[in-house]
Amino acid sequence: HIQDPASQRLTWNKPPKSVLVIKKIRDASLLQPFKELCVYLTEENNMIVYVEKKVLEDPAIANDENFGPVKKKFCTFREDYDDISNQIDFIICLGGDGTLLYASSLFQGSVPPVMAFHLGSLGFLTPFNFENFQSQVTQVIEGNAALVLRSRLKVKVVKEHREKSPVQNGIEENGVVPANLEKEVGKQIMQYQVLNEVVVDRGPSSYLSNVDVFLDGHLITTVQGDGVIVSTPTGSTAYAAAAGASMIHPNVPAIMITPICPHSLSFRPIVVPAGVELKIMLSPDARNTAWVSFDGRKRQEICHGDSISITTSCYPLPSICFRDPVSDWFESLAECLHWNVRKKQNNFTVEEE
C-alpha cells in the first residue's frame, strides 16, 4: 500500500500548550514579527513560549520596555546545555531555511511539528508568509493542517582515539626528533540527526579525496574527486542540486549519493532505498585525510581507521504545509529555483490561402 501524501494531517491528542519560537539571530528585520508573534501566543492563546536565551540578549529586545512584561513569561534554554525535547508541543520558525535546519538539530529524537515562516533569503522549506500569521497559527493550534514528514539521516561517526606517545628525552634512538606519534587507546563515537545532507570533502588539501563507500557491507565505489554528498530528499534541492543531482519530493523514501566534482566522466548521482546502511571510510591508500559536516555544522576531520555510518532515521521532521505537500513543493521549485523557466516558443501563424 502506497500512502497518499494528502492523507498526512496534523491531529492533536490534546490541545497544544507549549511552543518553541526560533528566530534568526542578528537580523533586525525579524524583531517586529518576533514581538508580534510572541504577544499573540502568550496573550491571545495563553501558550507557554520557549525562546533561546541568546535571542533575548539582543539589545533591541533586552532594552524594549514595552516588551518586558511579555518577555518575563518566556521559558528560556541554551543549546547543548538544556534538554527541552519533551517539553515542546510544536515549533514556529522565523527566518530562512537555516532556521528549520537549526530546529532539526535541537531534537535528536522525536521532533514536534514545525511551522516555518518565510522571512529569510531563499525560503524553499518555509512555506508560510507572515502577513496573516494569526489565522494560520490558529489553524495549526486547532489541528487543521497538512503535514509532510521529512526524513532525516541517523549518522554515527566512529573515531579511533589517538594520543601522543611520549618518547624518552624527546629523541628517538637514531637521534631524530619524532613527529607527533599517535597510538590507539579506544574509540570515540558521536551521533547526529541530519535533515539535509552529510558532506565528506577533501578540506584544505590539494589532493583528490579518496574515500570508499559501502552499502550494507559491500564496497560499491571509491570516490575520487572533491568529495561526496549523502542527502535526504529534503536535501536534494540543496547542495546536491548544485552538484548535479535530481530533485526528489520529500515523500519519496530514498537516500541520495552525489559525487562532488568527480574525476570520472561516468560517475553519476544515484538514489538508493531508504533504510540501507551506508558506510564511508578513507581508502587505505588515500594520500590525505577527509573532512565531514552535518547540515553544514559540526565540521571535523576524518582520518584512517575512522568511519561514518549513515542510515534513515526513525525520527522524521514533521513540517506543516501551507496548502499540501505537492503544491508547496512545486511552488518552491518555481519561486526559489525558477525550475523550467524559459521564454515560450512561438506558435505558427496561420497564413491565408
Side-chain angles (χ1 to χ4, degrees), residues 104 107-112 149-154 191-195 311-318:
S104 171
F107 294 86
Q108 294 298 299
S110 180
V111 188
L149 296 175
R150 297 186 177 276
S151 66
R152 298 197 293 175
L153 299 174
K154 181 175 74 172
Q191 296 199 31
Y192 306 96
Q193 296 283 332
V194 175
L195 179 60
T311 190
T312 305
S313 170
C314 58
Y315 300 110
L317 184 141

Side-chain angles (χ1 to χ4, degrees), residues 100-118:
L100 189 71
L101 296 174
Y102 180 65
S104 171
S105 71
L106 293 175
F107 294 86
Q108 294 298 299
S110 180
V111 188
V114 183
M115 183 182 194
F117 284 94
H118 170 35

Side-chain angles (χ1 to χ4, degrees), residues 229 235-247 256 258 337:
I229 304 165
S236 71
T237 50
Y239 193 0
S246 294
M247 295 179 287
M256 301 183 63
T258 307
L337 300 182

Side-chain angles (χ1 to χ4, degrees), residues 57-189:
E57 292 170 354
D58 189 323
I61 295 175
N63 300 330
D64 188 344
E65 295 180 359
N66 295 328
F67 193 61
V70 178
K71 191 172 63 174
K72 287 180 181 177
K73 298 178 183 178
F74 289 161
C75 295
T76 60
F77 72 97
R78 295 170 299 167
E79 184 190 9
D80 297 331
Y81 284 94
D82 303 314
D83 183 12
I84 58 168
S85 55
N86 294 322
Q87 300 165 31
I88 304 298
D89 292 329
F90 74 105
I91 304 168
I92 297 179
C93 293
L94 302 177
D97 294 347
T99 57
L100 189 71
L101 296 174
Y102 180 65
S104 171
S105 71
L106 293 175
F107 294 86
Q108 294 298 299
S110 180
V111 188
V114 183
M115 183 182 194
F117 284 94
H118 170 35
L119 291 162
S121 52
L122 186 60
F124 197 94
L125 307 177
T126 52
F128 288 92
N129 292 317
F130 195 75
E131 295 170 2
N132 304 314
F133 77 92
Q134 294 96 334
S135 60
Q136 293 168 343
V137 171
T138 300
Q139 275 192 336
V140 170
I141 293 173
E142 292 173 352
N144 183 22
L147 275 182
V148 57
L149 296 175
R150 297 186 177 276
S151 66
R152 298 197 293 175
L153 299 174
K154 181 175 74 172
V155 187
K156 183 171 75 171
V157 179
V158 179
K159 288 189 172 185
E160 301 289 349
H161 191 66
R162 302 169 178 89
E163 67 176 19
K164 296 176 183 177
S165 59
V167 179
Q168 190 172 6
N169 298 325
I171 300 175
E172 289 181 337
E173 291 181 3
N174 58 6
V176 178
V177 178
N180 291 338
L181 298 178
E182 297 177 334
K183 65 176 181 180
E184 298 177 3
V185 291
K187 296 180 184 293
Q188 181 186 10
I189 300 175

Side-chain angles (χ1 to χ4, degrees), residues 20-21 50-56 76-79 102:
L20 167 62
V21 178
Y50 283 78
V51 178
E52 195 171 7
K53 197 167 185 180
K54 63 184 179 184
V55 170
L56 301 182
T76 60
F77 72 97
R78 295 170 299 167
E79 184 190 9
Y102 180 65

